[in-house]
Amino acid sequence: MVQNDGKVVLAGGTGAGNFGVARFMAEGDGLDGSFSGDGLSLVDMGSPSDRATALALQSDGKLVVAGEVQGAWGLDVAVMRLNADGSLDPGFSGDGRAYFDLNHFKDDRVTAVAMQGSKILVAGWVPEGAGTRFAVLRLNADGSPDALFGSGGVKLVSFAPEGFASARANALLVSNGKIILAGRAEVNANHWYFGVARLTSSGALDGSFSGNGLAAFSFADFGACAVGFKNEAFALAADPGFMLVAPGSSADRKLVVAGSSNACGSEDMAVARLHSNGALDLSFSGDGKRTVGAAGADAARAIRTSGGGCLPFPCATPKTITLAGYRDGGVGGADFRAARLRWDGALDGSFSGDGVLTTDFNGGLDRAYALALHGNKLYLAGEARVGALYEFGVARYKTQ
């Protein structure tokens, strides 16, 4: 993520099995020494396999990091909060660290974290029988579960009402007071759909979204591929043109969902746009969906929308959709990949000449999992393999 002051913050796991957070100076002049002394905050969360998977910035500059730790019976949810200087915040659960077992004797997976006012939302999935369910945990500002949300602060979402055996949430978005989750909904091991759920602020499924709060769609017809298809959403973004619409408005706040589509053995970046009622928006690429691919396997892991914000008047800056992820099969195995679409779904030729750019770091496996837009700069961040080791990788591009 990029802070308001332009400093870049990354989070992930370390070789020693700790949560790791790094902060870089705004102009890329190395690590920020005002953060934890050397720009790095390495926190032992109490197990040999701590892994940070998600990062959020509070309005007061504190950082919330969520991930997984090895508990007594499986993987548990772990959340820590850092002060702006990189130190653990004792105002959060006493020592800056909190742990939660959402499903006893089984692994809890964490994929996303977001702020809802002063509340903290953590999303992922938990096992259920032979399958899995979307899971979202809401915490108060002090790190305690919010008893007013779901059941004891936890909401589990099954896609069984839509005919799916299993579901995994990878993305989380708070928009217009609603909580939106996206991931995959599985019919079986060979047929996965984009799965999207929308909750009210209290954690109930929102019936104004697709009738029951659940929507699922595929980029290929069932039975069209002998080998099946695997569609999975990893990122969510809201319509940027509604930044001037009052919260709670009934205006059609469109939702953009991105991930990957592996149909008949070919994997591409995949993106879809939904109306606020959960229906596919047919003004986007003709049917509400499109894929972006080239040689190799392409996958989107992050998305940002930008522009607009001046309705009903014409905008000097048109709305666009930026995707980030990676292309497997590139130099050394995988490269950072980004694509920019116009609001109608066509590739934006003003971006890198053809709407797509690819970046190789060091001839190794490079995968982008996050992106940020700050001013006229685009940031991609993820992992870059150097020799036998994986390191944080971040790249910055001019967007104009």
Side-chain angles (χ1 to χ4, degrees):
M1 73 165 52
V2 180
Q3 298 181 164
N4 291 335
D5 60 5
K7 292 181 179 180
V8 178
V9 184
L10 306 178
T14 72
N18 297 324
F19 276 22
V21 182
R23 192 166 75 190
F24 295 86
M25 299 297 290
E27 293 307 317
D29 299 325
L31 291 163
D32 176 12
S34 69
F35 183 78
S36 196
D38 60 358
L40 299 172
S41 180
L42 307 178
V43 180
D44 182 359
M45 299 295 286
S47 88
S49 55
D50 308 336
R51 190 171 74 102
T53 57
L55 172 68
L57 178 67
Q58 293 191 171
S59 59
D60 60 3
K62 294 181 179 181
L63 295 166
V64 178
V65 184
E68 304 154 1
V69 299
Q70 184 63 50
W73 306 105
L75 294 176
D76 292 337
V77 176
V79 184
M80 74 174 184
R81 191 166 69 198
L82 301 179
N83 294 310
D85 65 2
S87 62
L88 284 165
D89 177 13
F92 182 79
S93 194
D95 68 350
R97 293 169 285 197
Y99 307 88
F100 309 92
D101 184 1
L102 305 187
N103 195 331
H104 298 301
F105 310 113
K106 294 183 180 180
D107 290 337
D108 302 327
R109 296 293 187 173
V110 175
T111 54
V113 64
M115 301 305 301
Q116 187 182 27
S118 64
K119 309 280 188 179
I120 298 168
L121 294 167
V122 182
W125 73 83
V126 297
E128 177 195 33
T132 53
R133 287 197 218 185
F134 282 15
V136 59
L137 164 69
R138 191 164 76 184
L139 304 178
N140 295 310
D142 64 3
S144 62
D146 181 2
L148 300 179
F149 181 80
S151 176
V154 178
K155 175 66 177 182
L156 304 181
V157 178
S158 171
F159 273 71
E162 295 292 297
F164 295 94
S166 190
R168 299 185 177 190
N170 298 312
L172 169 65
L173 177 70
V174 178
S175 177
N176 197 29
K178 305 294 178 70
I179 300 164
I180 305 165
L181 304 167
R184 78 190 196 210
E186 304 175 20
V187 175
N188 52 45
N190 295 317
H191 295 88
W192 305 352
Y193 289 65
F194 270 29
V196 183
R198 192 169 77 189
L199 309 178
T200 65
S201 182
S202 65
L205 283 166
D206 180 5
S208 67
F209 182 79
S210 197
N212 61 357
L214 305 172
F217 49 92
S218 171
F219 290 76
D221 294 330
F222 195 91
C225 307
V227 296
F229 53 79
K230 294 183 177 181
N231 306 286
E232 187 164 11
F234 289 94
L236 287 162
D239 184 340
F242 279 86
M243 65 177 73
L244 300 183
V245 175
S249 165
S250 61
D252 185 11
R253 292 169 178 256
K254 295 179 181 180
L255 177 70
V256 188
V257 192
S260 63
S261 173
N262 189 332
C264 306
S266 175
E267 184 174 13
D268 297 318
M269 287 181 164
V271 59
R273 195 167 73 206
L274 308 180
H275 291 291
S276 59
N277 65 4
L280 285 164
D281 177 9
L282 303 187
S283 69
F284 179 78
S285 197
D287 63 356
K289 303 173 289 185
R290 76 152 296 161
T291 58
V292 179
D298 297 274
R301 291 294 182 268
I303 186 172
R304 289 291 184 274
T305 53
S306 61
C310 42
L311 295 177
F313 308 105
C315 293
T317 304
K319 291 189 284 189
T320 59
I321 299 166
T322 305
L323 309 174
Y326 50 86
R327 180 190 67 173
D328 279 338
V331 177
D335 298 324
F336 275 25
R337 186 83 150 171
R340 192 166 75 188
L341 308 178
R342 300 197 311 247
W343 196 241
D344 62 5
L347 282 167
D348 180 1
S350 69
F351 179 78
S352 192
D354 60 358
V356 179
L357 68 82
T358 304
T359 301
D360 172 51
F361 271 75
N362 211 23
L365 285 162
D366 311 319
R367 294 190 175 100
Y369 299 112
L371 77 85
L373 296 170
H374 186 77
N376 66 341
K377 303 292 195 302
L378 165 67
Y379 296 79
L380 302 187
E383 62 185 8
R385 185 168 181 173
V386 180
L389 301 177
Y390 282 98
E391 300 182 358
F392 284 170
V394 59
R396 189 173 77 179
Y397 312 84
K398 294 180 179 179
T399 59
Q400 297 177 352

